[in-house]
Amino acid sequence: MMASTAGAPCVLFPGQGSQARGMGTGLFDRFPGTTSLANDVLGYDLPRLCLQDPEGRLDDTRFTQPALYVVNALSYRVSLERGEPEAEYLLGHSLGEYNALHAAGVFDFETGLKLVIKRGELMARASDGAMLAVVGMSESELRAFLAEESLARLDIANLNTGTQTVLSGARDEIEQAHRLLGERSVRAVPLKVSAAFHSRFMAPARDEFHAFLKGFRFSPPRATVIANLTARPYDAEVPGTLSEQIAAPVRWVESVRYLLERTSVEHCREVGDGSVLTRMVQQIAAEAGSRAAGRPSTTVAPRKRTEPHSEPDTEPRTEPHTPGARPRLFCVAYAGGDERAYAPLTEHCRDIELVALERPGRGRRAGEPLLREPAAIVDDLFAQLRGRLDAPDTPDAPYAPYAPYAPYAPYALYGHSLGARLAFLLCRRLRAEGLPPPVHLFVSGESGPAIPSRERDTWRLPDEAFRDHLKQLGGIPAELWEYGDLMAFYERVLRADFTALGAYEHVAEPPLDIPVTAMAGEDEWFSRADIDAWQRETTRPLTVHWFPGDHFFIRTQWPALARIVTSGLAAA
């Protein structure tokens, strides 16, 4: 049994697959010097790539790896500036290992960037390989399967948890393995890659990278960095370890077990907006507990022979949602609101996980610049949401470290007032990116987005008139007006949000294929037609609820809102 009683801080750095358009929002402006240096080394505009990706290159390995390295590095710097402890243990998944080494002082930021640029170029040069995430089989069972089926050209690339493993190798054998595993009722997900990473097919890249690394000097680490290659702390042979890592499996399970013998799950934090690595650490810890208690941690799928498919299934399997996973409700705050805006709803949604999508300039992100353009806000919300479309509450959710798609828990979006329009735009963005849609969109306190907002010119009001209008709207506690400094901060946030509302321009697009429930207060200024306008945005029948109260009727209706949300998710 692991002795996870120590409290040494550990930082986890994600790798390829965690990239998303909009990543790095707020970071590049916060660190202009480092961003300028990165642009000079790369020879292109990194913020434009990360925030807008107009040429669609962010999922290209040559661009993905340096972009993630920079964003990871800046995110870690932000965490230190916020007072989070410097790591004593550092662990990165594949590419993330370079951030771990940089954080430990093995090389400076610029050197690390040059290394990952070369690494990405070499790995992208290989072609005709493929990768397959396999869920529900242990390593030994999977090796036995490979031997039994004579799949000699397949290597194990990632050992992510006790029941999540990634195969890598020749495309034809990956397709064959996919079909044969399906016949055994074993879940397998092809990854969207063009090469067989972490396999024997990376040998040419490994050898060329080793020669490249000889031109650099490396310092001893200031903290313990656990290597993917050995699942043990780095020694002096940095070039050999880094070059071998390209062609060798990522021994994540062993690395985490080594880590948890020296610290605890509670003292691990993941860099960036995602939490996939954290959940893998939690699952590995749970598997260790099951073994210690004598309970089985895996279920072996029986061999099941059927007629072979006429063609190999090479498309990723995107299920509606992961069976048995706890549903989530992602909440987008109204103007001036922060992550606490919907906290009372949590008390009445015991079977639903509420996740607040926090906008910059408020709450825990108070130090970041405010956003005033709807597109920029949606980019930020999308970056937060994309990394959370997995299924943390189920033991069989695969981690696809090189692909932007993964099975996910059923989820819905909810927004009030300005948050309703932003949640709607977020649904469109998810559709445009080809990501799993929410099973329901809940909106309140806002007309259909095709109807111009009645608050679209509020941001233009002079200070005194702006404050008077806020008092008429309600929603601001009376005692807050008595504290000038606090109100000045809050007013700045509100002005930014109302500016975004004024900048909103509705663009006609095909309706969403998502159920929509719209809610409004009977004393609000909306007409029935304003609320019914939400029907234009969905192919499903619109559900409408009216409640007693004004624009902030929600504050007296949390139990009723919880019942509506729970019912909507249950019907999905």
Side-chain angles (χ1 to χ4, degrees):
M1 183 174 181
M2 295 183 186
S4 57
T5 57
C10 170
V11 172
L12 310 171
F13 293 95
Q16 196 165 342
S18 61
Q19 71 274 8
R21 190 169 66 180
M23 70 178 189
T25 300
L27 294 176
F28 303 119
D29 291 337
R30 187 166 183 165
F31 302 104
T34 305
T35 301
S36 177
L37 172 61
N39 287 342
D40 290 342
V41 174
L42 291 166
Y44 55 81
D45 188 338
L46 181 64
R48 183 170 181 267
L49 169 71
C50 293
L51 302 179
Q52 302 171 24
D53 190 23
E55 288 85 24
R57 301 187 300 183
L58 194 55
D59 287 332
D60 184 328
T61 297
R62 296 167 297 176
F63 296 91
T64 306
Q65 297 198 16
L68 279 174
Y69 170 80
V70 174
V71 171
N72 281 348
L74 297 183
S75 298
Y76 182 55
R77 284 176 61 179
V78 167
S79 73
L80 297 180
E81 290 183 358
R82 289 179 180 168
E84 295 180 12
E86 191 166 352
E88 294 182 30
Y89 289 91
L90 297 145
L91 178 57
H93 194 284
S94 192
L95 171 75
E97 189 164 302
Y98 289 76
N99 286 106
L101 292 167
H102 166 54
V106 174
F107 43 71
D108 60 24
F109 173 82
E110 182 177 358
T111 297
L113 182 55
K114 291 177 179 177
L115 297 182
V116 299
I117 290 171
K118 186 66 172 180
R119 181 182 190 264
E121 291 174 352
L122 293 174
M123 293 178 72
R125 206 179 285 173
S127 61
D128 298 327
M131 301 180 75
L132 182 73
V134 181
V135 181
M137 297 180 77
S138 67
E139 178 188 0
S140 60
E141 292 165 350
L142 189 55
R143 291 191 185 279
F145 161 78
L146 295 177
E148 181 180 347
E149 300 293 351
S150 300
L151 297 171
R153 293 187 296 161
L154 295 187
D155 295 327
I156 289 181
N158 300 78
L159 295 156
N160 289 326
T161 73
T163 56
Q164 297 179 18
T165 308
V166 177
L167 293 176
S168 184
R171 182 171 298 277
D172 60 338
E173 289 204 1
I174 285 289
E175 292 171 352
Q176 184 181 359
H178 186 201
R179 175 177 56 80
L180 293 172
L181 287 166
E183 292 175 2
R184 298 189 183 203
S185 298
V186 175
R187 191 177 177 192
V189 181
L191 306 186
K192 286 204 167 187
V193 294
S194 60
F197 300 154
H198 295 289
S199 76
R200 70 191 78 178
F201 292 84
M202 288 287 113
R206 175 199 62 199
D207 297 342
E208 188 170 345
F209 193 55
H210 187 266
F212 176 76
L213 289 170
K214 290 181 179 179
F216 296 87
R217 291 187 177 183
F218 303 99
S219 302
R222 296 191 300 263
T224 301
V225 181
I226 303 173
N228 289 179
L229 180 69
T230 63
R232 292 295 182 270
Y234 259 81
D235 56 23
E237 184 47 35
V238 174
T241 304
L242 282 180
S243 57
E244 287 294 334
Q245 187 227 49
I246 291 178
V250 175
R251 297 168 62 182
W252 188 257
V253 176
E254 294 175 75
S255 299
V256 170
R257 288 174 182 166
Y258 179 90
L259 173 71
L260 293 180
E261 289 173 354
R262 290 153 180 82
T263 187
S264 64
V265 174
E266 294 74 19
H267 289 86
C268 296
R269 74 177 189 270
E270 184 171 347
V271 161
D273 294 324
S275 55
V276 175
L277 298 185
T278 301
R279 290 166 186 151
M280 285 202 294
V281 169
Q282 293 168 343
Q283 183 175 335
I284 292 167
E287 290 168 353
S290 295
R291 286 195 304 273
R295 298 190 300 269
S297 59
T298 64
T299 301
V300 180
R303 185 175 182 85
K304 175 183 169 185
R305 287 293 183 186
T306 61
E307 289 301 314
H309 299 291
S310 58
E311 292 182 9
D313 179 10
T314 58
E315 292 297 317
R317 296 181 179 181
T318 53
E319 302 179 7
H321 58 76
T322 302
R326 187 184 180 200
R328 290 171 169 179
L329 181 67
F330 291 96
C331 299
V332 185
Y334 41 80
D338 60 17
E339 62 185 352
R340 297 166 294 179
Y342 302 110
L345 189 58
T346 307
E347 302 174 11
H348 304 283
C349 293
R350 298 296 185 184
D351 297 325
I352 299 173
E353 180 185 1
L354 265 69
V355 181
L357 301 178
E358 184 74 288
R359 300 199 291 276
R362 70 206 74 204
R364 57 188 167 84
R365 301 181 67 183
E368 300 180 34
L370 289 161
L371 300 177
R372 294 173 172 81
E373 291 291 332
I377 297 173
V378 173
D379 282 346
D380 183 90
L381 296 173
F382 177 75
Q384 296 179 58
L385 179 62
R386 181 174 181 177
R388 294 177 168 91
L389 295 186
D390 53 355
D393 297 323
T394 56
D396 62 344
Y399 170 52
Y402 309 105
Y405 306 102
Y408 66 104
Y411 74 100
L413 296 180
Y414 173 48
H416 179 76
S417 195
L418 169 63
R421 292 187 181 243
L422 294 174
F424 165 71
L425 291 177
L426 189 53
C427 287
R428 282 187 166 185
R429 177 65 180 279
L430 288 160
R431 180 175 66 181
E433 297 287 342
L435 290 175
V439 297
H440 210 112
L441 171 63
F442 300 95
V443 294
S444 60
E446 186 55 288
S447 61
I451 306 296
S453 170
R454 294 179 182 241
E455 298 294 331
R456 61 187 179 277
D457 293 320
T458 300
W459 66 278
R460 302 178 187 275
L461 295 173
D463 291 348
E464 194 62 35
F466 185 70
R467 297 188 192 103
D468 289 342
H469 186 71
L470 293 179
K471 291 177 181 178
Q472 293 174 8
L473 285 176
I476 300 178
E479 59 271 17
L480 186 59
W481 294 99
E482 300 176 8
Y483 297 92
D485 292 345
L486 195 57
M487 191 59 210
F489 170 82
Y490 191 51
E491 185 177 337
R492 184 175 63 88
V493 175
L494 280 163
R495 273 203 180 274
D497 284 350
F498 277 109
T499 301
L501 195 56
Y504 180 91
E505 294 183 5
H506 188 70
V507 177
E509 290 186 11
L512 301 166
D513 188 26
I514 299 171
V516 176
T517 295
M519 298 166 281
E522 293 173 346
D523 298 331
E524 290 195 80
W525 51 81
F526 303 117
S527 68
R528 300 269 170 172
D530 289 339
I531 301 303
D532 289 344
W534 281 102
Q535 182 64 80
R536 306 179 197 176
E537 311 305 333
T538 176
T539 59
R540 310 289 186 89
L542 175 70
T543 303
V544 178
H545 296 276
W546 290 89
F547 292 88
D550 58 15
H551 189 56
F552 283 96
F553 72 89
I554 58 176
R555 292 179 175 172
T556 61
Q557 299 292 337
W558 294 123
L561 264 65
R563 288 193 294 272
I564 290 171
V565 167
T566 302
S567 175
L569 276 165

